Amino acid sequence: MDHIDWTRLKTGEVNLGTSIMAVQFDRGVVIGADSRTTTGSYIANRVTDKLTHVHDRIYCCRSGSAADTQAVADVVHYSLQMYSQTAGEAPSVAHAASVFQKLCYENKDALSAGIIVAGWDKEVGPSVYNIPLGGGLFRQPWAIGGVYPYANRRLGFNSSTSPSALALAMSRDGSSGGVIRMCVITEDKVERLFIPGNELPKFWEGREVLGAPAQKKRGADTGIVPMTVEA
């Protein structure tokens, strides 16, 4: 499929897939993701955890094929555990990102994987690396994957606006949704945060212009005929 089938999307929504992001701040990094996994237009999992632990102070956000990214994350986790045992110290975020990048680049024709690697290390402190499809490697103060661009232009990115940026992206993307999972990584600790779907920030949805959806009257004839079941 080389184009988006707009007729299969809900009105006002854009199909851009997973919403993941990472933001660097002075003492650490904040990473976050939605929780929806889709197979075509079918929601296969509403509460997927797309934030994967790969070392004590290093996490990754996964987008693309769930099977591909889980396999890559498992290989990197094993590699970093071996590194810490042989080197006698924790790996840097840059080292973890380079292992991800090597795997994604060398297998770019077989993988569908977009990765954001973020964490804290003693060499440089907090850092964020973006590895898009194709296996590039870019260090940035913040990174996004599959997020509707309006979230960036409208809100900007920092540790306090991250939930709003994700919620805004999820509200406009038919392949994102569910809950928000976040993780704050600093020198002292790793803190996991969870925002359920009924507590997500709300934004303007155009009801003043488009009008509220029509309410069906109770008992009204819908024209739906029950299917006959043969004995």
Side-chain angles (χ1 to χ4, degrees), residues 210-221:
L210 302 176
Q215 300 292 328
K216 292 184 179 179
K217 295 182 179 179
R218 181 173 297 180
D221 183 14

Side-chain angles (χ1 to χ4, degrees), residues 52-59 77 80-81 84-85 89-91 93 96 118-121 183-191:
T52 303
H53 166 270
V54 291
H55 205 266
D56 294 345
R57 294 291 186 274
I58 306 174
Y59 276 69
H77 179 265
L80 297 184
Q81 294 298 323
S84 62
Q85 291 296 322
E89 61 180 7
V93 181
W120 186 95
D121 60 58
C183 186
V184 183
I185 307 170
T186 62
E187 178 183 5
D188 301 324
K189 63 180 180 178
V190 175
E191 182 182 4

Side-chain angles (χ1 to χ4, degrees), residues 21 23 151 155-168 182 201 203:
M21 63 179 294
V23 185
L155 296 170
F157 284 137
N158 57 53
S159 58
S160 61
T161 62
S162 297
S164 295
L166 279 169
L168 184 55
M182 298 179 62
F203 299 93

Side-chain angles (χ1 to χ4, degrees), residues 107-129:
N107 300 280
K108 60 180 179 292
D109 294 330
L111 296 177
S112 175
I115 307 289
I116 297 175
V117 183
W120 186 95
D121 60 58
K122 63 181 181 181
E123 284 81 9
V124 298
S127 55
V128 174
Y129 291 86

